[in-house]
Amino acid sequence: MATKTVAKVGYAEAERTVVVAPGVTDNCLVEIAWKQSKPYYDIQRMAFGQMERLTLSGPYPVQKVVVEIPKAFEWAWQVQTGGARKADRTEEGNFTVLTLEGLPGMDNPPYSVAGPRPACRIMLFPVPENLRYAASKGPDAYWNAVGRTILKDYFEQGIDKGRSYRNLLATLSAGLPEAPGPRAVELLKRLDGAIQNTTYPTYQEEALRSKKDEKAEIDPKDLDAAAERGRTTATGMMFLYWEMLKDLGLKPQVAMVVDRDRAVFDRKLLCWQQFNDLLIGVANPGGDTLWFDPSLRYAAPGVISQDYQGSTALAFDPQNWEAKAFHVPVQGSAVNQRRFDYTLDLGEDEDRFTLRASLTGLPEYGERRTFMALGQKEQNRALQDRLEQKFKGVTFTKAQVEHVVDPTQNVAWSVEGRIERDSGRRRTVDPFPANAWALWIPDRLDPVRKEPIVFPYASAFQEKSRFRIPKGYRLGAVPPYSQANAFGRVDWSMDLQEGDLCAVTVKVELSRPIAGASDYEAFKAFLGWVREACGRTLILERL
């Protein structure tokens, strides 16, 4: 029996057919089996980066999976059994048949990533002719050959530098710091302000773009044209930065990185397409290598996507293009800061407030990307809509987003609002009425955990609220709250000053965003402290 239903996700709606078997109730145990095919030509057409990962595991245990791969299929393939109880391979006519039985269900606990999970997967990928001999010699030979063929050609072949490029380099390099690290940081900052990254256009750039511009193809390796017209793609920004670093004698490196929410680097999987992105590195004498992603428009130089932090990657030095494994740095909490400053006016029938948000690092870049393609009025409207959806009991009267298209300043925003309330002898005051907590707190946590703990990134969160206690009310002293463990520190404090002025401050520093399952108890304790500090309210009583 089939029925129609409407599924809603955010603003989107879609009609879906739901099959309901006769006699099935909510306490029945149901076994479902089906067949699913993926034609050979679809795999080639759908492949991202010339590789296809077919994940066979799911959230629930799978009794049996059969995969048929045609022998005429030209790509190489490799199976990760992912804890399957039984795995067989047979040859049947024109097909290689893989039969996997007893696939365990994959957990998806809070604060985890999919990459390290032992899922059952089939990787399909082409092996270029120029890498086949190296692949036959093992991982070391293969990955060095990737550097000397794939990457060397990618970065050195077809680069066009002329007078316009040289003039741009002279302009951007004037007065740069001498030390390699600060020199590389300042150069990227200047480059980001001088050249439009057309992959991430601003609202004004989209509005001014002509039909001729839309049809024009941009060659990311034509650095002279990029310098002359003042724009290029995200890939072109990478080539520009790479060549400028070399021309300034900074000897850059390149790293191939994997999105940790998709997979982890498998050295034995001789497939360079398993990587998702490239980073550019500059060695700091006496210190660590600084890594940059020039493709991130208006991001603070040195900010690395959380998708790559803490993952294993391969670095290549263009002096010899040999591969060297390393861990992408986990950037500290000082990089990713969020600060929220409130001023409350506690009235008899309603409370009014103003809130200003200041951001750095990945939180700042996330907000910039959210608003970049919108005009100023649309930015303000989008911010107000977002907050109105999240905080139902609050009326927002004004919203203002700042500095979205100004690479020299961090994005900030401010809002004003009010909350209606009933008068009485006791009243509850939320010092932070329109602000998300420092971290998402799950409704429930399993008693035992097997997977590593992975927060998005290390961060420093602070919110401060100032208000005067209304006449005729008193606020008793509230003891401070302070806790710390291996994950970080949580502090709540209240300062009562003369003139009934009160200031409440919450600070949450997440200093260790990645930990093993053995730290689960400390993880639960840390989240509990965040809940306690961010959820505290104050009680005012009439005199």
Side-chain angles (χ1 to χ4, degrees):
M1 181 174 65
T3 62
K4 296 284 187 178
T5 187
V6 176
K8 293 184 178 181
V9 180
Y11 292 112
E13 293 185 1
E15 191 176 76
R16 293 288 184 265
T17 300
V18 179
V19 179
V20 181
V24 174
T25 61
D26 58 6
N27 62 349
C28 291
L29 185 64
V30 180
E31 182 177 305
I32 301 173
W34 71 91
K35 288 186 177 181
Q36 181 175 321
S37 62
K38 193 177 184 72
Y40 156 68
Y41 58 82
D42 276 352
I43 293 177
Q44 286 191 317
R45 180 175 57 82
M46 294 172 60
F48 174 76
Q50 292 296 299
M51 180 185 184
E52 179 76 2
R53 288 189 183 94
L54 303 179
T55 301
L56 306 178
S57 300
Y60 305 103
V62 177
Q63 185 178 13
K64 184 178 181 179
V65 176
V66 178
V67 180
E68 297 178 341
I69 301 177
K71 293 181 178 179
F73 187 61
E74 297 175 354
W75 290 8
W77 51 271
Q78 182 171 320
V79 179
Q80 293 176 344
T81 56
R85 185 179 68 254
K86 184 179 180 182
D88 291 328
R89 170 177 172 169
T90 58
E91 307 297 327
E92 299 181 12
N94 294 325
F95 292 89
T96 297
V97 180
L98 305 174
T99 305
L100 301 111
E101 300 181 21
L103 277 63
M106 293 289 100
D107 291 334
N108 184 24
Y111 292 114
S112 64
V113 290
R117 291 176 193 153
C120 180
R121 299 185 182 95
I122 299 178
M123 272 71 65
L124 306 105
F125 51 92
V127 180
E129 186 67 35
N130 57 355
L131 291 178
R132 291 183 180 179
Y133 176 77
S136 69
K137 296 299 182 180
D140 287 343
Y142 175 84
W143 292 115
N144 287 337
V146 167
R148 291 166 182 160
T149 56
I150 304 297
L151 284 180
K152 186 174 186 293
D153 288 351
Y154 187 64
F155 278 93
E156 295 183 359
Q157 297 297 318
I159 298 295
D160 185 4
K161 298 188 296 185
R163 179 181 298 175
S164 296
Y165 166 82
R166 291 191 294 271
N167 290 340
L168 176 64
L169 176 60
T171 300
L172 298 184
S173 61
L176 286 175
E178 290 299 322
R183 192 174 179 84
V185 167
E186 182 61 26
L187 175 65
L188 182 53
K189 187 183 300 183
R190 295 181 184 183
L191 178 63
D192 204 15
I195 302 295
Q196 292 181 15
N197 183 337
T198 60
T199 304
Y200 307 111
T202 67
Y203 172 82
Q204 185 177 17
E205 290 165 358
E206 277 288 313
L208 295 176
R209 191 163 67 166
S210 65
K211 291 184 178 180
K212 181 179 179 181
D213 291 335
E214 291 177 1
K215 294 179 180 180
E217 292 187 9
I218 296 178
D219 180 359
K221 292 191 172 186
D222 190 344
L223 309 188
D224 207 50
E228 184 174 350
R229 63 180 170 239
R231 64 181 185 272
T232 187
T233 63
T235 303
M237 293 294 290
M238 180 186 63
F239 285 129
L240 272 169
Y241 189 54
W242 172 266
E243 289 297 323
M244 287 183 174
L245 290 172
K246 288 199 307 180
D247 291 340
L248 294 176
L250 290 177
K251 300 180 180 179
Q253 305 174 43
V254 61
M256 301 175 74
V257 292
V258 181
D259 183 341
R260 67 190 189 188
D261 206 31
R262 297 185 183 183
V264 294
F265 169 54
D266 184 351
R267 181 175 172 274
K268 294 181 180 179
L269 175 61
L270 304 185
C271 166
W272 65 271
Q273 299 94 329
Q274 64 181 287
F275 292 99
N276 299 106
D277 207 349
L278 299 173
L279 299 177
I280 304 300
V282 174
N284 234 348
D288 296 330
T289 298
L290 301 179
W291 293 98
F292 302 91
D293 188 346
S295 70
L296 301 181
R297 189 176 192 187
Y298 294 165
V303 166
I304 300 173
S305 169
Q306 67 265 29
D307 297 334
Y308 311 131
Q309 293 189 33
S311 65
T312 302
L314 285 182
F316 297 84
D317 186 336
Q319 300 299 315
N320 53 27
W321 290 104
E322 289 185 355
K324 182 179 180 181
F326 77 105
H327 284 94
V328 179
V330 176
Q331 296 182 315
S333 58
V335 174
N336 307 305
Q337 298 188 35
R338 292 172 292 160
R339 177 170 179 140
F340 303 91
D341 291 294
Y342 278 88
T343 300
L344 299 184
D345 181 8
L346 305 182
E348 189 66 28
D349 299 319
E350 69 175 15
D351 297 341
R352 292 182 173 271
F353 67 87
T354 61
L355 163 62
R356 181 168 181 80
S358 305
L359 312 163
T360 67
L362 286 168
E364 189 271 348
Y365 180 67
E367 291 286 67
R368 195 182 292 272
R369 283 288 303 275
T370 297
F371 298 118
M372 187 180 292
L374 302 176
Q376 185 62 61
K377 290 183 179 179
E378 287 75 19
Q379 292 173 19
N380 300 341
R381 182 71 252 177
L383 172 63
Q384 187 165 334
D385 287 347
R386 184 177 76 187
L387 295 175
E388 287 176 345
Q389 290 179 39
K390 195 173 188 68
F391 303 100
K392 299 298 184 182
V394 180
T395 300
F396 292 91
T397 57
K398 183 179 180 181
Q400 181 73 31
V401 183
E402 303 171 9
H403 313 315
V404 170
V405 294
D406 183 355
T408 65
Q409 299 190 67
N410 290 332
V411 171
W413 53 259
S414 60
V415 294
E416 296 178 9
R418 67 176 186 270
I419 305 169
E420 294 184 1
R421 64 173 57 259
D422 296 328
S423 59
R425 292 197 56 81
R426 289 167 57 91
R427 58 185 292 184
T428 301
V429 176
D430 182 354
F432 313 106
N435 203 33
W437 289 1
L439 295 169
W440 168 63
I441 308 296
D443 293 332
R444 61 176 296 273
L445 291 169
D446 293 334
V448 178
R449 181 163 179 140
K450 298 179 180 179
E451 291 204 16
I453 297 161
V454 184
F455 288 91
Y457 44 78
S459 61
F461 171 95
Q462 176 178 312
E463 53 186 359
K464 189 166 188 175
S465 179
R466 298 175 178 85
F467 60 91
R468 289 192 180 276
I469 300 172
K471 290 183 179 181
Y473 285 89
R474 67 179 179 85
L475 173 63
V478 182
Y481 184 78
S482 183
Q483 300 285 354
N485 66 10
F487 283 94
R489 184 176 185 87
V490 178
D491 294 284
W492 185 99
S493 63
M494 184 177 73
D495 183 21
L496 283 172
Q497 302 174 358
E498 294 183 5
D500 294 327
L501 181 63
C502 182
V504 178
T505 304
V506 174
K507 295 181 180 180
V508 176
E509 181 181 7
L510 173 62
S511 55
R512 186 188 180 195
I514 301 176
S518 60
D519 292 304
Y520 191 43
E521 292 303 316
F523 165 77
K524 291 192 291 184
F526 185 73
L527 292 185
W529 301 337
V530 174
R531 184 195 300 273
E532 168 66 22
C534 293
R536 275 192 170 189
T537 56
L538 305 175
I539 303 296
L540 298 178
E541 294 184 342
R542 284 194 183 275
L543 296 173

